[in-house]
């Protein structure tokens, strides 16, 4: 149970202390303001995964959890730019990097606004985790709200770019999103990377859903939809046979507003 003081410290859009270290260890690590300066001198700064967590919880997973990996309940979100590969054959590299950074920026803002972290960025795609290391009670809804923000903000930003791409066939750019909630393994799984990630069947399902999402669509697994029922009720359902997943999945389809 958080005290009134800790709630005050952690309950803001931009927290004074690391919300990851607080939620996982109940240790207050200053990441903003004068108290953060001595920590910065030791290389402890805001994480690029989310500015409200620090580089300790990003890179010292074993120190934070005292284990190499843990099983955690989380919601995983994948997003990517649909049609990017085809586009990359037609336009110059400088424009491509403009599109990618616009997409990554819009996604990160939406994910951070709902306390998720951008765990991996893969060019025209990304993977986000909700409920670790920032504990989020309704992480399924947080992820769905982030996805709706991603679709809204990317549609506006990409439409502006579309206009300047001028007259190219198939130039309409859009984003596809897949979301699934379940138990994942979180930890450091690579000997040459020091930051944590999530692996497991639940991560694969989120990735597979994203691969089936058309531009402007958010495909939500039944597990996420049940937990975020207020946001998914009445949404179209679509039965999907997904590569590597034994049973067909009855996904909910949320389209951009
Ligand atoms: Zn931290």
């Amino acid at each position: 149970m958080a005290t009134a003081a800790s709630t005050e410290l952690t309950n803001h859009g931009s927290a004074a202390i690391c919300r990851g270290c607080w939620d996982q260890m109940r240790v207050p690590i200053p990441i903003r303001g004068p108290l953060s300066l001595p920590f910065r001198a030791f290389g402890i700064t805001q994480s690029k995964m989310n500015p409200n967590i620090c580089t300790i919880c990003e890179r010292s997973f074993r120190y934070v959890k005292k284990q190499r990996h843990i099983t955690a309940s989380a919601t995983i979100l994948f997003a990517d730019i649909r049609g990017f590969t085809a586009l990359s054959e037609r336009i110059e590299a400088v424009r491509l990097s403009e599109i990618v950074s616009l997409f990554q920026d819009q996604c990160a803002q939406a994910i951070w606004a709902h306390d998720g972290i951008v765990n991996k960025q893969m060019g025209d795609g990304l993977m986000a985790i909700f409920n670790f290391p920032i504990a989020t009670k309704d992480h399924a809804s947080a992820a769905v709200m982030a996805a709706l923000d991603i679709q809204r903000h990317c549609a506006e930003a990409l439409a502006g770019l579309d206009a300047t791409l001028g007259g190219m066939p198939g130039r309409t750019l859009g984003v596809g999103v897949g979301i699934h909630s379940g138990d994942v393994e979180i930890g450091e799984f690579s000997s040459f990377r020091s930051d944590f990630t999530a692996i497991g069947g639940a991560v694969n399902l989120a990735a597979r859903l994203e691969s089936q999402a058309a531009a402007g669509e958010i495909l939500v697994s039944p597990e996420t939809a049940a937990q975020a029922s207020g946001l998914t009720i009445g949404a179209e359902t679509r039965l999907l046979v997904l590569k590597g997943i034994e049973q067909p999945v009855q996904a909910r389809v949320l389209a951009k507003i």
Side-chain angles (χ1 to χ4, degrees):
M1 180 76 87
T3 64
S6 70
T7 305
E8 198 166 90
L9 281 169
T10 58
N11 234 0
H12 296 296
S14 55
I17 62 167
C18 170
R19 293 188 56 192
C21 286
W22 182 258
D23 287 357
Q24 300 301 321
M25 302 190 289
R26 287 293 181 261
V27 174
I29 304 290
I31 50 171
R32 285 187 188 81
L35 287 176
S36 70
L37 294 177
F39 288 83
R40 280 183 208 196
F42 287 100
I44 300 163
T45 58
Q46 291 167 301
S47 164
K48 288 191 168 65
M49 294 187 191
N50 180 314
N52 286 327
I53 70 170
C54 77
T55 47
I56 297 177
C57 38
E58 172 191 333
R59 289 204 294 262
S60 309
F61 182 87
R62 265 178 282 187
Y63 164 77
V64 172
K65 301 311 288 183
K66 304 195 170 57
Q67 292 175 65
R68 203 169 153 73
H69 55 90
I70 57 158
T71 305
S73 165
T75 298
I76 307 295
L77 178 155
F78 280 86
D80 85 343
I81 307 173
R82 292 281 97 139
F84 188 79
T85 313
L87 185 76
S88 62
E89 286 160 11
R90 293 200 303 265
I91 66 171
E92 44 183 326
V94 60
R95 297 303 312 277
L96 282 180
S97 65
E98 207 181 307
I99 293 167
V100 166
S101 49
L102 190 147
F103 162 79
Q104 293 288 358
D105 287 353
Q106 296 293 338
C107 288
Q109 295 300 333
I111 290 158
W112 296 343
H114 298 284
D115 290 338
I117 58 152
V118 180
N119 183 241
K120 286 188 204 168
Q121 290 181 314
M122 305 146 279
D124 61 322
L126 62 79
M127 169 180 150
I129 304 174
F130 293 80
N131 205 33
F132 191 89
I134 301 175
T136 310
K137 216 174 170 189
D138 188 358
H139 47 91
S141 296
V144 172
M145 285 191 284
L148 290 166
D149 285 353
I150 286 172
Q151 289 296 15
R152 208 173 298 133
H153 298 160
C154 285
E156 285 166 19
L158 292 174
L161 277 181
D162 263 2
T164 64
L165 290 174
M168 306 220 32
R171 68 195 152 86
T172 305
L173 289 170
V175 173
V177 183
I179 307 174
H180 177 55
S181 307
D183 283 348
V184 297
E185 287 296 302
I186 295 176
E188 295 168 23
F189 299 104
S190 162
S191 50
F192 52 87
R193 285 191 60 156
S194 56
D195 52 356
F196 70 88
T197 190
I199 60 168
V203 179
N204 295 341
L205 180 51
R208 294 296 180 205
L209 284 169
E210 185 252 31
S211 72
Q212 297 296 310
E217 283 183 346
I218 302 161
L219 295 186
V220 179
S221 77
E223 290 78 6
T224 303
Q227 290 174 44
S229 54
L231 294 162
T232 56
I233 202 158
E236 177 200 332
T237 59
R238 188 179 297 164
L239 194 65
L240 297 168
V241 178
L242 301 170
K243 196 179 158 197
I245 314 281
E246 220 170 292
Q247 298 291 326
V249 174
Q250 187 85 38
R252 293 275 180 175
V253 185
L254 305 182
K256 79 177 171 230
I257 300 162

